[in-house]
Amino acid sequence: MAGLDMIFSQDILLDSEKFSKASKQFSELSSDMKALKKDISTLIDELAQGFDTPAGHKFVNSCKNGLLQPMEDQAAIIQHVSENLRMAETSYESVFTEFKELNSLIKSE
């Protein structure tokens, strides 16, 4: 019985609000990444005007392919994480509710 007392004396943390907050923050981060990519793309296009040579074209294409595409991919992944957190929160709403009730019972005894 001492083992159960030790288990029930510990708080289990499960917070639906943190799921919401994390989902929102990841979504904002994805938007920020997309905005940054757009800004960098604009700057590369401006830079390209001064690099109107075969070597300059290669440099600009290298920047676009090596920098912009990975940023776009990363923004998509971050948005996917946000959506998964939002779905998990919805899917586990009953778990959050039962968890709160269980914690209330444990604390009341």
Side-chain angles (χ1 to χ4, degrees):
M1 209 45 135
L4 287 178
D5 289 339
M6 186 179 100
I7 291 172
F8 288 118
S9 69
Q10 304 291 318
D11 284 339
I12 298 173
L13 301 176
L14 187 61
D15 192 341
S16 62
E17 291 175 18
K18 296 221 180 189
F19 267 78
S20 291
K21 184 178 179 181
S23 174
K24 183 180 176 189
Q25 288 175 329
F26 274 108
S27 184
E28 290 169 358
L29 180 59
S30 177
S31 295
D32 290 347
M33 287 286 295
K34 289 174 185 174
L36 179 60
K37 178 194 170 270
K38 183 178 177 184
D39 290 345
I40 291 173
S41 180
T42 300
L43 291 170
I44 290 173
D45 289 342
E46 290 174 13
L47 182 67
Q49 294 172 9
F51 283 83
D52 193 15
T53 65
H57 295 177
K58 285 186 178 187
F59 173 74
V60 169
N61 286 337
S62 175
C63 289
K64 287 182 177 182
N65 295 333
L67 182 62
L68 297 178
Q69 187 60 49
M71 289 181 76
E72 186 175 324
D73 295 343
Q74 189 172 15
I77 290 168
I78 292 169
Q79 186 61 39
H80 185 69
V81 170
S82 172
E83 292 165 4
N84 282 340
L85 286 171
R86 198 172 318 116
M87 285 188 324
E89 180 187 6
T90 302
S91 297
Y92 290 103
E93 189 60 39
S94 63
V95 174
F96 292 129
T97 303
E98 293 291 326
F99 174 76
K100 287 176 186 175
E101 291 174 13
L102 177 62
N103 264 346
S104 294
L105 286 172
I106 292 170
K107 289 180 181 181
S108 68
E109 290 186 14

